């Protein structure tokens, strides 16, 4: 889910002060309920999870409608995820290759 920055403008200064490994925790009723992390940290977390559990079936979500404004790096990352998912899903088992 995406949230427009204007809806959370009260914490915009805290968000801008975040460094690569920082997180902004949001409390509700005295308990931490949410954490906001920079995208670089999220990307690193995704990579770490893939290393920990490489046999997991990839979860790829494709947004078919609307115009996407992706950088080349974002495009390449999405392309790699899709290609990995296709390969893991359709790769024949080694015993069937004989």
């Amino acid at each position: 889910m995406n949230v427009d920055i204007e809806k959370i403008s009260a914490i915009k200064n805290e968000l801008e002060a975040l460094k690569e490994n920082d997180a902004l925790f949001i409390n509700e009723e005295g308990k931490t309920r949410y954490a906001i992390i920079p995208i670089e940290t999220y990307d690193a977390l995704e990579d770490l999870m893939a290393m920990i559990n490489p046999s997991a079936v990839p979860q790829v979500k494709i947004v078919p409608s609307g115009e996407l404004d992706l950088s080349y790096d974002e495009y390449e990352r999405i392309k790699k995820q899709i290609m990995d998912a296709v390969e893991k899903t359709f790769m024949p088992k080694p015993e069937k290759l004989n």
Side-chain angles (χ1 to χ4, degrees), residues 35-51:
I36 300 174
I37 59 174
I39 193 66
E40 294 85 7
T41 305
Y42 179 79
D43 290 342
L45 180 61
E46 277 188 330
D47 293 342
L48 179 62
M49 293 303 293
M51 287 189 286

Side-chain angles (χ1 to χ4, degrees), residues 76-91:
E76 284 296 324
R77 191 177 78 200
I78 292 169
K79 178 182 167 186
K80 182 182 181 321
Q81 290 175 353
I82 291 171
M83 296 309 293
D84 288 347
V86 168
E87 184 175 318
K88 288 179 182 180
T89 302
F90 297 110
M91 180 184 286

Side-chain angles (χ1 to χ4, degrees), residues 2-47:
N2 291 334
V3 177
D4 190 287
I5 193 69
E6 296 304 319
K7 290 185 180 179
I8 54 174
S9 61
I11 61 170
K12 187 174 180 184
N13 292 335
E14 288 87 349
L15 290 172
E16 290 174 348
L18 286 179
K19 302 212 179 347
E20 184 176 337
N21 294 320
D22 290 345
L24 178 63
F25 296 100
I26 300 173
N27 296 331
E28 184 178 37
E29 297 177 1
K31 294 183 181 182
T32 301
R33 300 271 299 163
Y34 306 97
I36 300 174
I37 59 174
I39 193 66
E40 294 85 7
T41 305
Y42 179 79
D43 290 342
L45 180 61
E46 277 188 330
D47 293 342

